[in-house]
Amino acid sequence: MARTIYLSLFLLFISWIPNLTTSYPLSTKSRWIVDEKGQRVKLACVNWPAHLQPAVAEGLSKQPLDSISKKIVSMGFNCVRLTWPLDLMTNDTLALKVTVKQSFESLNLFDDVLGIQTNNPKILNLPIFNAFQEVVSNLGQNGLMVILDNHLTYPGWCCSDNDLDAFFGYPNFDPVVWAKGLSKMATLFRNVTNVIGMSLRNEPRGTRDYPDLWFRFMPKGAEAVHAANPEVLVILSGIDFDTNLSFLRDRFFNVSFTDKLVFEQHWYSFSDGGDTWEKHNSNDICAKITEKVTHNGGFLLDRGFPLILSEFGTDERGVDVSGNRYMNCLVAWAAEKDLDWAVWAITGDYYLRTGTKHMVETYGVLDATWKNVRNSTYLQKLSGIQHPFRGPGLQDKKAIFHPHTGLCITNNHSGNVPTLRLEQCTKSEPSSFNPKEGILWINKMCVETPDVAGQKVKLGVGTKCSKLGQTSATNMHLSFKTSKGMLLCLDVNEGDNSIVANPCKCLTKDTSCDPASQWFKVL
């Protein structure tokens, strides 16, 4: 991972707590999710797994529930995608007759029993489902919206092609039982206002994940949820591990209700092969894969449907080159589309994952203590897409976004001569760039490029406006030529956040370098 930079700006971000006042229930207006007043609500969620053995939300043996909820808020999230196994609704013994303590003891997780006794004694002797309700309730008390995600059938880790509950009709995926379980969950949370949506099934996949079965059974699940709880958003995933909704391009999805239908899509670096991003030039592969992701799901935005990027993320230790490059590309695309999203995951570690106790989740935004942020640079990157740039009831935010840092270009007023620097996007001045004109405007002042590499980029009043081009397949390199014919690109000085001009790097073919510091997405 690139070196940690702009930490001072992250500290400013982390001190900001969003206004979580929302008029429920939510509905849809074309591609947007809106509140009861018709104003856009952007979902910036984090996944919180509660679907593994022992069917209890992770982390409750490490920190008090309320502390975790408040930590989620402090990190700028306004929503939690809370996972659950179908068995929680179809097996009354698991849901109502097995206590949290009994569930952990049956798995020999005695240290976790002691941890819950210390940090969350209130839930220790509650039945499993009542403990689940406590989590939802506490999230609501802290102003957090909740999406209930049916992750799998029986408690455990997910997902592989060979799972017995991978798709409709598999041995452990009875569509009738599934629809009944969805209906029951929707009914039980019918009057819980912070439960704003239900995701019908996580990552349909396997050898049978062809569209005909999807069209046969997914509407039945959608109708079951809406009939039981007409207030919630009904969220549908695609096939191929929820990477593919392209079958909706030429086949209409019929349900009896309107203004509640939302689709979701997943995108990881390994979605296109484990080392794809490391083997290809970042510009070339980013352009290629974003085109594919748009074809497979992003097109729904133009069709007038909201799309949630409900799972993405990477190893936060900085050791995964492919993952680091992919994240810069993904964040740029998410900002451009102004997507709703849910990052994987809050998890510092798991009680029990595939037989291993307290396995660390390297994708988790918290460390194994469930108290500290695992990687502040990673979280700052996400902060740049936590706020809406446009939508119903909002004034459009024109910005030049730097996906590597999650910051935006603005005017640096500190010097005698106006220059450019990075700032939190919520505080940046309006910026615009017309590719045909080639002029980059920052609040009525235009960019004046230097004639020597390494110098700061200045702003003027319009007499010496420089023309910039969008170089590379991603169109994220803003370039110009000096009087001597050298091609320079806008870049970021890590020391003071200023925008400088440096030789363009990694434009195409070269796989050995990372162009992220020179990527700027015009929004």
Side-chain angles (χ1 to χ4, degrees), residues 200 219 221-227 230 232-236 253-262:
L200 303 191
E223 295 286 4
V225 167
H226 185 73
V232 296
L233 301 172
V234 180
I235 305 169
L236 283 67
F253 181 83
N254 290 302
V255 288
S256 63
F257 56 91
T258 58
D259 302 330
K260 292 291 182 179
L261 195 62
V262 178

Side-chain angles (χ1 to χ4, degrees), residues 251-439:
R251 190 170 175 181
F252 191 71
F253 181 83
N254 290 302
V255 288
S256 63
F257 56 91
T258 58
D259 302 330
K260 292 291 182 179
L261 195 62
V262 178
F263 293 93
E264 62 180 321
Q265 187 174 13
H266 293 179
W267 179 14
Y268 289 101
S269 64
F270 52 77
S271 298
D272 292 277
D275 55 359
T276 298
W277 292 83
E278 191 171 2
K279 286 185 174 180
H280 295 84
N281 172 268
S282 290
N283 280 297
D284 298 338
I285 195 64
C286 178
K288 180 179 179 180
I289 292 184
T290 52
E291 182 180 3
K292 177 182 176 181
V293 172
T294 301
H295 176 273
N296 284 354
F299 73 93
L300 287 164
L301 298 169
D302 295 330
R303 301 277 182 95
F305 292 101
L307 178 72
I308 302 176
L309 188 63
S310 59
E311 278 192 32
F312 66 94
T314 195
D315 190 330
E316 295 181 41
R317 296 172 298 177
V319 297
D320 182 2
V321 174
S322 283
N324 297 337
R325 294 180 179 182
Y326 133 89
M327 274 297 294
N328 291 322
C329 178
L330 179 146
V331 169
W333 185 74
E336 178 186 26
K337 300 298 183 182
D338 205 2
L339 290 173
D340 301 280
W341 52 267
V343 68
W344 188 272
I346 189 67
T347 326
D349 65 353
Y350 297 96
Y351 304 122
L352 183 68
R353 174 175 158 180
T354 57
T356 300
K357 296 180 180 179
H358 293 288
M359 180 186 291
V360 170
E361 174 56 273
T362 60
Y363 283 46
V365 296
L366 295 181
D367 66 14
T369 68
W370 282 77
K371 182 178 181 180
N372 304 312
V373 172
R374 185 181 300 279
N375 186 321
S376 59
T377 302
Y378 182 86
L379 193 56
Q380 180 185 281
K381 188 194 302 281
L382 293 179
S383 76
I385 55 173
Q386 286 179 327
H387 310 279
F389 291 99
R390 58 190 185 277
L394 304 176
Q395 184 176 357
D396 285 4
K397 173 77 172 181
K398 302 294 185 181
I400 310 298
F401 179 67
H402 190 242
H404 183 52
T405 60
L407 303 173
C408 288
I409 288 180
T410 196
N411 190 339
N412 183 6
H413 297 281
S414 61
N416 294 325
V417 179
T419 57
L420 297 179
R421 64 180 175 87
L422 293 179
E423 174 62 276
Q424 288 176 274
C425 293
T426 54
K427 298 180 179 180
S428 66
E429 297 180 72
S431 307
S432 64
F433 177 77
N434 185 330
K436 293 183 180 180
E437 181 188 38
I439 308 291

Side-chain angles (χ1 to χ4, degrees), residues 84-268:
W84 58 280
L86 188 66
D87 205 33
L88 192 63
M89 288 292 98
T90 59
N91 181 352
D92 285 346
T93 298
L94 172 67
L96 303 174
K97 297 180 181 179
V98 176
T99 66
V100 170
K101 184 174 185 287
Q102 290 168 340
S103 182
F104 278 88
E105 288 179 341
S106 71
L107 298 165
N108 296 319
L109 299 174
F110 299 107
D111 289 344
D112 288 300
V113 172
L114 293 175
I116 293 173
Q117 176 67 58
T118 300
N119 291 298
N120 292 286
K122 180 180 179 181
I123 73 164
L124 188 61
N125 292 303
L126 289 180
I128 294 293
F129 178 69
N130 294 132
F132 187 84
Q133 288 177 305
E134 285 292 324
V135 173
V136 174
S137 176
N138 188 266
L139 291 170
Q141 290 166 21
N142 283 280
L144 289 162
M145 296 175 282
V146 174
I147 294 171
L148 300 177
D149 167 63
N150 176 224
H151 215 71
L152 74 183
T153 299
Y154 298 113
W157 181 244
C158 176
C159 304
S160 73
D161 280 314
N162 299 322
D163 291 335
L164 296 179
D165 62 351
F167 203 66
F168 300 112
Y170 274 49
N172 291 344
F173 195 171
D174 183 326
V176 175
V177 174
W178 166 72
K180 288 180 179 178
L182 290 175
S183 178
K184 186 175 181 180
M185 180 66 87
T187 299
L188 288 168
F189 285 96
R190 180 164 182 158
N191 296 314
V192 181
T193 55
N194 70 306
V195 174
I196 54 91
M198 284 189 59
S199 176
L200 303 191
R201 188 69 170 199
N202 181 68
E203 297 193 351
R205 61 202 178 278
T207 57
R208 300 182 197 171
D209 63 352
Y210 39 80
D212 286 345
L213 284 178
W214 191 96
F215 278 106
R216 180 180 175 185
F217 294 116
M218 198 63 80
K220 294 180 180 179
E223 295 286 4
V225 167
H226 185 73
N229 188 344
E231 303 291 0
V232 296
L233 301 172
V234 180
I235 305 169
L236 283 67
S237 55
I239 60 175
D240 299 331
F241 293 86
D242 196 18
T243 63
N244 188 1
L245 288 151
S246 63
F247 51 86
L248 291 169
R249 284 181 165 273
D250 53 13
R251 190 170 175 181
F252 191 71
F253 181 83
N254 290 302
V255 288
S256 63
F257 56 91
T258 58
D259 302 330
K260 292 291 182 179
L261 195 62
V262 178
F263 293 93
E264 62 180 321
Q265 187 174 13
H266 293 179
W267 179 14
Y268 289 101

Side-chain angles (χ1 to χ4, degrees), residues 457-468:
V457 177
K458 299 178 182 179
L459 284 173
V461 293
T463 57
K464 298 180 181 179
C465 298
S466 302
K467 289 193 174 182
L468 303 175

